Amino acid sequence: YLRQNGTLDGFSFDCEGELTAGGYTIHCYNSNVHGHEDFAAAFANSCNTAFSQIGLDLNRTEFAATAEDLLFNRELPLELPYSKSSFTLNESSPDALTMQTAIGQGDTLATPIHMAMIAAAVANDGVAMTPYLVDRVETYEGTKVRETAPEEFDTLMTAAEAATLTDLMQGVVENGTAKALQDVGVSIAGKTGSAEHGDLSEPAHSWFAGFSNVEDPDIVVCVIAEKAGSGSEAAVPIARQIFNAYYNN
């Protein structure tokens, strides 16, 4: 939306808890009715219907291109085996699939390390770094044998886009679905998610991705709790324990 419109100003949506298009209905989580929202409120509330409408209004080819800019359908610079994230959408995609895709559902697949890389890029003025597993190797006496030097991987977004996303993600913690992180004692920017999977009779996967000390970021945390419910129910409390361990252990 930001890339196709150049600004978030002027966005307005009235959430009634559900949205129907092409014979398919999307519901907000627990059919919550969020009422009138600007973009920041829709983001903070994780409003499915607002983002479903955004998806319907977007140029779908450009939508897919933006996803690939964010490393979907691309190889990640990882040393260990991993599952490649997937995003499929084009101008002929039906409304139902487009609405689902706009809220991270549909045929979209993503791994926690990928979401952590995106969150880190937001924290790093748009630049994604190459993940590594070993910071340094020392002898038993503490003599450093070697140390890994951080390397830039790719620029995923502009610094201005990263700043806009940071503001939106801070709103999630200050006013939205990740308010449980407010008492960590440091500023946090993040986003929750609830991802349905193959068995719709079971709870959704619970997601959180974000970073701490927003002014001079320290760490990125990405959590997926499988079949655990909404992001605020399971993933946020786990992330809270990680942030607390880092800052308040």
Side-chain angles (χ1 to χ4, degrees), residues 49-70:
T49 58
F51 280 89
S52 294
Q53 186 62 59
I54 287 172
L56 293 172
D57 294 339
L58 292 179
N59 178 299
R60 297 173 196 183
T61 299
E62 293 181 20
F63 187 6
T66 297
E68 295 196 353
D69 286 344
L70 297 174

Side-chain angles (χ1 to χ4, degrees), residues 72-246:
F72 282 90
N73 304 329
R74 292 170 57 186
E75 299 293 332
L76 301 179
L78 301 176
E79 298 177 5
L80 295 178
Y82 65 94
S83 297
K84 186 166 68 173
S85 295
S86 174
F87 185 99
T88 57
L89 201 70
N90 55 55
E91 288 303 317
S92 63
S93 298
D95 286 348
L97 180 59
T98 301
M99 289 194 294
Q100 293 170 358
T101 302
I103 61 171
Q105 296 279 160
D107 297 328
T108 304
L109 300 173
T111 62
I113 186 62
H114 180 192
M115 294 298 99
M117 288 182 67
I118 292 177
V122 174
N124 197 36
D125 295 329
V127 178
M129 304 299 289
T130 299
Y132 55 89
L133 302 175
V134 178
D135 181 42
R136 63 185 180 274
V137 177
E138 299 177 350
T139 67
Y140 75 95
E141 295 176 327
T143 302
K144 184 169 64 177
V145 176
R146 64 179 175 87
E147 187 171 16
T148 303
E151 295 182 1
E152 294 185 4
F153 173 62
D154 197 4
T155 299
L156 306 190
M157 65 194 76
T158 67
E161 289 171 337
T164 297
L165 284 172
T166 297
D167 288 343
L168 291 170
M169 292 166 70
Q170 279 192 272
V172 174
V173 176
E174 293 169 356
N175 307 301
T177 54
K179 287 188 288 188
L181 298 175
Q182 290 179 355
D183 66 352
V184 173
V186 64
S187 59
I188 296 174
K191 182 70 185 76
T192 62
S194 304
E196 293 176 346
H197 47 89
D199 189 348
L200 297 182
S201 67
E202 295 184 316
H205 295 332
S206 174
W207 280 86
F208 172 83
F211 57 95
S212 60
N213 194 27
V214 173
E215 300 74 18
D216 186 16
D218 292 322
I219 62 171
V220 165
V221 172
C222 183
V223 175
I224 178 173
E226 296 182 347
K227 303 179 183 179
S230 71
S232 57
E233 288 173 336
V236 167
I238 294 170
R240 183 175 177 274
Q241 291 182 57
I242 297 171
F243 286 126
N244 272 324
Y246 184 82

